[in-house]
Amino acid sequence: MKQKAKILPVSVDEAAEIAAIVRQADVDEITEALGIEMEHGLRLCFGGSCKASKIVVDGKVVAVFGDSVHDVQASIGVPWLISTIHVEKRAKPFLRVCREEVREMLTRHDTLINYVDERNTQAIRWLKWLGFIFGEAVPYGPKGLPFFQFQLSREV
């Protein structure tokens, strides 16, 4: 039977529970890029987003994601996604919903821009699959670790 992903709202109250199952590469990226604990990072993401959601497959949260406003006048949004330890075993249903969710973000913003840790090769591969364009790695966060800026613009 084909697994199906559900997109559901996510609340700040779920941050601790989700933080406990975040994939290690995403924990490293958030804690090193922002210099904050994972649970606090999730609370900031959930509370500061235009829309924050979770992807659930077989009752397991495989990822949380959303987008926030970076620049209203320039219509630039900041997309984010944090995956959990459940994403690899449920990759196909996860991937089936990703492109549509990014398209929805592009109805709120003309351009999406964010940064990804150079070491997070799984996330980089996924972002490229979604069509994001990458710049050169630059020092980012409190430790100045190499991160790639990535962006995607709405088709006119």
Side-chain angles (χ1 to χ4, degrees):
M1 188 169 115
K2 190 161 131 177
Q3 296 173 311
K4 188 161 171 64
K6 295 178 186 172
I7 308 296
L8 302 169
V10 68
S11 80
V12 173
D13 297 338
E14 298 173 84
E17 181 183 342
I18 293 169
I21 59 168
V22 169
R23 194 172 64 92
Q24 189 60 51
D26 288 2
V27 170
D28 295 344
E29 182 173 294
I30 295 298
T31 58
E32 293 180 359
L34 304 176
I36 58 175
E37 293 300 316
M38 191 73 234
E39 182 180 341
H40 183 63
L42 289 172
R43 289 180 185 280
L44 291 173
C45 287
F46 297 171
S49 290
C50 302
K51 180 182 175 188
S53 303
K54 60 187 173 185
I55 301 172
V56 179
V57 179
D58 295 335
K60 305 283 187 189
V61 176
V62 297
V64 290
F65 70 95
D67 58 291
S68 60
V69 174
H70 174 70
D71 184 325
V72 173
Q73 284 189 309
S75 189
I76 297 173
V78 179
W80 58 270
L81 180 131
I82 298 167
S83 57
T84 74
I85 58 173
H86 302 298
V87 74
E88 286 184 29
K89 289 186 179 177
R90 294 159 181 87
K92 285 183 181 179
F94 163 76
L95 292 172
R96 281 187 206 109
V97 298
C98 290
R99 284 193 169 124
E100 183 59 36
E101 294 301 321
V102 170
R103 278 194 292 273
E104 184 184 325
M105 289 178 191
L106 287 168
T107 66
R108 292 187 286 274
H109 318 281
D110 289 342
T111 302
L112 300 170
I113 297 175
N114 204 345
Y115 290 83
V116 62
D117 189 330
E118 178 182 69
R119 301 168 297 172
N120 198 341
T121 55
Q122 188 175 2
I124 291 166
R125 193 169 50 250
W126 171 75
L127 288 161
K128 287 180 177 178
W129 176 78
L130 286 169
F132 282 89
I133 306 298
F134 282 72
E136 295 296 316
V138 296
Y140 189 80
K143 293 182 181 177
L145 295 173
F147 274 64
F148 292 110
Q149 183 185 71
F150 60 90
Q151 79 173 48
L152 182 65
S153 295
R154 183 187 307 172
E155 294 178 14
V156 183

